[in-house]
Amino acid sequence: MTSTPEELRHEVIQARERLGDTVEQLAARADVKSRARARAAGIQEDMRQQAGQAAERLGGPPLAAVAGGVALLLVLMAIRGRRAEKGKG
């Protein structure tokens, strides 16, 4: 079965697109720093939401500020702890 030059060009273009997509996916997986930042941001947002919910249950803005500060402190401590563990290894 012979292919025309135009069919071959089309196949090459498709192969390049697939290869480009694969390279992008691998690069995203290899970028550990960005993945860690995204995860930390997600955890921080979750903590803020939980602190807000707790503040609503317990009674208002001043308590919400304290709960938010505590949540932020916990996130920062977790990040520092992981960095310290990484430095030991």
Side-chain angles (χ1 to χ4, degrees):
M1 178 177 216
T2 59
S3 297
T4 66
E6 188 59 36
E7 290 174 334
L8 290 173
R9 282 188 195 97
H10 184 68
E11 287 179 26
V12 168
I13 290 170
Q14 286 181 332
R16 284 181 181 163
E17 289 175 357
R18 286 192 307 267
L19 181 61
D21 292 343
T22 301
V23 169
E24 287 177 13
Q25 290 172 358
L26 290 173
R29 286 184 183 182
D31 192 359
V32 176
K33 196 173 195 178
S34 291
R35 290 174 59 198
R37 284 182 183 158
R39 177 137 169 82
I43 291 171
Q44 189 175 17
E45 182 60 30
D46 290 346
M47 294 296 285
R48 284 183 182 159
Q49 288 177 357
Q50 290 176 7
Q53 291 170 356
E56 287 175 7
R57 280 184 264 145
L58 296 176
L63 188 55
V66 172
V70 169
L72 182 59
L73 180 63
L74 291 173
V75 169
L76 293 175
M77 288 173 56
I79 291 171
R80 283 186 87 190
R82 289 189 180 187
R83 284 186 182 169
E85 289 176 8
K86 186 177 179 182
K88 290 179 182 177

